[in-house]
Amino acid sequence: MLIPEWIAAEIHAGRTELQPMLDSAPYDRAAVRTVAASGDFQIVDGHVRMADVPSPGTWFPQREPTLVASWSLPVTVTEELLADAAVPVPLAIGSLVQVHRQGHRSLDTRLGPQALMMDDTEIRLGSIARFLRDLGASVGDTVHLHFDTTGSFDVSR
């Protein structure tokens, strides 16, 4: 079960107080706090509630419209990506790999570790230029970023 699914189940069961939720969570407290305060949820007067409108996006991978089957995110190759720019990714990716606000995660890949970081509002994947070079990708090509809950990552055409 992913953190947002767990939080939604807690809310549905009537257990909405933030502090007891953090104390009983089977997940990292900082990650639970991050999810509870953004995306599909909000904290109001010490209670976690479902947000009327998810902001800035959903934590539920199955609800994220930019993701396709098997947690694959299509990305158009740009000059910036070829030159080592970071790649913004949906909040749902953070949920999949359980990264929290001001946190980072090292993902396992066929080309070595890959960084994923979250600041106060967004999640960014470190440069994928080495994957793009490995694939022979050019500006304008579409590649797919593949994520899974074990912390594995890859890029394919």
Side-chain angles (χ1 to χ4, degrees), residues 60-153:
F60 293 92
Q62 63 273 26
R63 294 182 191 165
E64 174 54 56
T66 60
L67 294 176
V68 294
S70 74
W71 319 129
S72 176
L73 178 68
V75 172
T76 301
V77 177
T78 63
E79 289 183 20
E80 292 80 14
L81 291 180
L82 289 170
D84 287 338
V87 183
V89 297
L91 288 179
I93 296 300
S95 175
L96 275 174
V97 300
Q98 299 184 19
V99 68
H100 54 82
R101 183 177 290 121
Q102 302 300 332
H104 69 281
R105 172 108 191 245
S106 180
L107 305 176
D108 297 322
T109 80
R110 62 187 164 81
L111 299 179
Q114 178 68 36
L116 184 74
M117 301 130 313
M118 182 176 186
D119 61 19
D120 284 331
T121 59
E122 71 178 352
I123 297 176
R124 291 189 171 272
L125 184 66
S127 170
I128 60 168
R130 63 193 165 135
F131 293 93
L132 300 177
R133 285 190 298 274
D134 184 62
L135 294 171
S138 302
V139 172
D141 289 349
T142 297
V143 296
H144 295 270
L145 311 182
H146 302 282
F147 300 87
D148 73 31
T149 57
T150 67
S152 294
F153 170 77

Side-chain angles (χ1 to χ4, degrees), residues 15-87:
R15 295 183 291 267
T16 63
E17 269 189 83
L18 176 62
Q19 193 58 52
M21 191 180 284
L22 293 173
D23 293 341
S24 66
Y27 305 99
D28 177 87
R29 291 170 58 103
V32 171
R33 176 72 171 81
T34 294
V35 174
S38 57
D40 307 83
F41 307 100
Q42 60 184 343
I43 299 171
V44 178
D45 298 328
H47 290 266
V48 181
R49 305 196 189 298
M50 298 300 292
D52 293 332
V53 178
S55 175
T58 182
W59 283 108
F60 293 92
Q62 63 273 26
R63 294 182 191 165
E64 174 54 56
T66 60
L67 294 176
V68 294
S70 74
W71 319 129
S72 176
L73 178 68
V75 172
T76 301
V77 177
T78 63
E79 289 183 20
E80 292 80 14
L81 291 180
L82 289 170
D84 287 338
V87 183

